């Protein structure tokens, strides 16, 4: 079926419309369009402390400027939860090296895995943090930021359900309860100006789970979103906004109504004024839920819009297992494929399954 509507820019939605009750229907209509046709949106005036956001942004250059030995002390390879520091060029997407350096942090969580339990329970657990004396206040700031964006993510999920003609609590079946008992993961990423032939900051991919809330923490271009025809559309930084996008889990849960959109980051050019920084938070769902067994029944008018939309062209293939596996396993498979060095140490059976020839010099199992 041919695509009948496409996007050439990412829409901007103003969260203040929700706070002003009489304008909420306008917000929901805009959200419905973004969910079905774009899969990405800017969220202006989000209910997250601007002081906390500014503090996070101010810490980022100092975080990456820590001595290399201090960063290496919290290498992700030492952590079965895939939390910690990743050196430049150590992650792979679509058969090529991602030219970025990053830290993976998370909300506080005590790992529930015990011998004999599903391995994916190891994914949630203690984060690794820089030494407090080296970066005073950073951990507290990040944990506050994660908590506030997590709260926003659950509020937004209720609005998303309403935009699709469902009750506000329609997505609750996919979460643990209380919702704050789940662990939320947050990256801090540096994309330095490229000095090589490659410009792949991160290759084309989908996000897992339900929702991603991205803080573009520097003015640099780079994020690109693939529209329904396969064209790459820039998502330039807009101060005072989050970029919100749909994950493959939510796409599956909504029977394709909320579309997960392929996206990538192009590295800053060699002549750039400095590195690009970003802070994505990934909203998790219950590790135990099998999304394919909890699919949402959508109103006929929404179904008709989705059928008329057609299927999107895409350069991404990851997180395709939501139609059959538990959410925790889908996420674990994704982490194994992206970080084979961590998988080799902590998940040897899965490592051998996806990397039968050992650690790749370049490339991944996608």
């Amino acid at each position: 079926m041919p695509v009948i509507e496409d996007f050439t820019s990412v829409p901007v939605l103003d969260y203040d419309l929700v706070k002003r009750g009489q304008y909420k229907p306008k917000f929901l209509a805009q959200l419905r369009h973004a969910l079905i046709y774009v899969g990405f949106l800017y969220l202006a005036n989000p209910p997250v402390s601007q002081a906390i956001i500014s503090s996070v942004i101010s810490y980022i250059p100092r975080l990456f400027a820590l001595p290399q030995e201090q960063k290496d002390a919290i290498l992700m390879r030492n952590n079965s939860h895939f939390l910690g520091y990743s050196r430049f060029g150590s992650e792979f997407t679509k058969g090529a090296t991602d030219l970025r350096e990053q830290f993976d942090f998370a909300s506080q969580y005590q790992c529930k895995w015990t011998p004999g339990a599903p391995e994916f329970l190891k994914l949630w657990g203690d984060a690794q943090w820089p030494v407090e004396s080296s970066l005073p206040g950073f951990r507290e700031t990040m944990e506050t930021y994660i908590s506030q964006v997590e709260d926003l993510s659950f509020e937004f999920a209720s609005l998303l359900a309403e935009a699709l003609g469902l009750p506000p609590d329609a997505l609750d079946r996919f979460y643990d309860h209380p919702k704050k008992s789940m662990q939320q993961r947050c990256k801090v990423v540096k994309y330095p100006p490229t000095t090589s032939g490659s410009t792949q900051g991160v290759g084309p991919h989908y996000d897992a789970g339900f929702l991603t809330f991205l803080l573009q923490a520097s003015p640099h271009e780079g994020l690109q979103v693939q529209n329904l025809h396969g064209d790459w559309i820039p998502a330039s930084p807009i101060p005072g906004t989050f970029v919100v996008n749909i994950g493959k889990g939510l796409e599956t849960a909504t029977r394709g109504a909320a579309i997960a959109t392929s996206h990538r980051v192009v590295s800053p050019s060699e002549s750039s004024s400095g590195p690009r920084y970003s802070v994505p938070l990934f909203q998790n769902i219950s590790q135990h839920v099998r999304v394919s067994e909890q699919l949402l029944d959508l109103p006929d008018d929404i179904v008709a819009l989705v059928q008329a939309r057609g299927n999107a062209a895409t350069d991404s293939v990851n997180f395709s297992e939501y139609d059959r596996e538990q959410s925790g396993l889908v996420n674990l498979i994704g982490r194994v494929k992206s970080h084979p060095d961590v998988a080799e140490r902590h998940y040897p059976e899965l490592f051998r399954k996806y990397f039968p020839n050992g650690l790749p010099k370049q490339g991944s199992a996608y």
Side-chain angles (χ1 to χ4, degrees):
M1 182 179 295
V3 172
I4 65 168
E5 185 166 348
D6 209 345
F7 65 93
T8 57
S9 63
V10 176
V12 180
L13 277 65
D14 187 351
Y15 204 80
D16 275 347
L17 295 178
V18 177
K19 303 170 192 173
R20 297 154 61 195
Q22 69 270 35
Y23 294 103
K24 182 178 176 182
K26 179 180 178 180
F27 181 90
L28 294 179
Q30 293 173 346
L31 179 55
R32 181 181 307 111
H33 184 275
L35 294 172
I36 294 175
Y37 296 107
V38 187
F40 264 76
L41 59 95
Y42 294 97
L43 189 64
N45 297 307
V48 175
S49 165
Q50 186 56 54
I52 289 295
I53 291 174
S54 297
S55 184
V56 168
I57 292 173
S58 72
Y59 270 116
I60 293 175
R62 289 180 283 161
L63 173 67
F64 286 101
L66 289 173
Q68 191 62 46
E69 62 270 19
Q70 291 191 26
K71 294 189 284 189
D72 287 345
I74 57 172
L75 276 171
M76 182 186 286
R77 195 164 188 266
N78 301 328
N79 184 276
S80 63
H81 318 306
F82 291 87
L83 295 169
Y85 171 67
S86 296
R87 295 172 182 166
F88 178 81
S90 63
E91 188 174 12
F92 306 104
T93 305
K94 286 214 72 181
T97 301
D98 294 331
L99 302 179
R100 60 180 181 174
E101 180 184 9
Q102 63 189 5
F103 293 83
D104 281 62
F105 301 116
S107 55
Q108 294 185 28
Y109 187 86
Q110 184 174 354
C111 184
K112 301 295 194 298
W113 180 83
T114 56
E119 273 200 307
F120 61 70
L121 293 181
K122 292 182 186 178
L123 269 184
W124 294 2
D126 289 333
Q128 299 186 92
W129 296 91
V131 175
E132 176 67 19
S133 59
S134 298
L135 210 58
F138 172 73
R139 176 175 179 174
E140 181 181 3
T141 296
M142 281 301 302
E143 289 184 334
T144 300
Y145 174 81
I146 290 170
S147 179
Q148 290 191 13
V149 179
E150 178 186 27
D151 290 341
L152 168 61
S153 77
F154 294 129
E155 291 179 19
F156 191 82
S158 295
L159 294 167
L160 185 153
E162 290 187 77
L164 293 178
L166 300 169
D169 62 353
L171 298 180
D172 283 3
R173 69 181 73 177
F174 300 101
Y175 300 125
D176 290 334
H177 296 277
K179 294 174 184 175
K180 296 283 275 191
S181 67
M182 297 183 292
Q183 184 168 53
Q184 308 300 337
R185 183 180 298 265
C186 186
K187 288 178 181 281
V188 182
V189 189
K190 175 183 178 180
Y191 300 92
T194 182
T195 56
S196 66
S198 173
T199 61
Q200 178 169 301
V202 60
H205 67 284
Y206 298 116
D207 289 346
F210 269 22
L211 295 164
T212 301
F213 289 78
L214 173 70
L215 172 64
Q216 299 198 80
S218 67
H220 301 83
E221 303 281 338
L223 177 62
Q224 297 180 348
V225 179
Q226 194 169 27
N227 72 9
L228 301 172
H229 285 105
D231 301 323
W232 288 101
I233 308 300
S236 304
I238 299 179
T241 69
F242 287 119
V243 177
V244 183
N245 67 278
I246 305 304
K248 287 298 285 186
L250 185 57
E251 180 183 78
T252 303
T254 61
R255 303 176 188 264
I259 189 170
T261 301
S262 175
H263 53 288
R264 68 185 182 185
V265 173
V266 176
S267 297
S269 67
E270 191 171 359
S271 61
S272 173
S273 60
R276 177 180 184 270
Y277 295 121
S278 67
V279 186
L281 180 139
F282 306 95
Q283 186 205 55
N284 275 321
I285 58 177
S286 172
Q287 291 183 296
H288 295 280
V289 70
R290 202 179 300 270
V291 174
S292 59
E293 296 177 353
Q294 301 282 344
L295 300 182
L296 297 165
D297 293 320
L298 300 168
D300 290 344
D301 61 328
I302 300 295
V303 173
L305 291 174
V306 175
Q307 290 176 342
R309 179 196 65 204
N311 297 318
T314 181
D315 288 346
S316 298
V317 296
N318 58 320
F319 298 118
S320 60
E321 301 90 354
Y322 276 107
D323 63 352
R324 57 192 180 277
E325 302 291 357
Q326 289 174 287
S327 169
L329 180 57
V330 178
N331 277 275
L332 177 56
I333 291 170
R335 302 301 283 175
V336 165
K337 290 177 177 180
S338 294
H339 296 277
D341 58 330
V342 183
E344 182 185 38
R345 174 175 290 189
H346 299 286
Y347 301 90
E349 290 186 14
L350 276 175
F351 174 79
R352 287 191 294 270
K353 177 178 179 179
Y354 292 104
F355 298 94
N357 297 319
L359 277 174
K361 292 185 178 178
Q362 178 160 320
S364 74
Y366 285 128

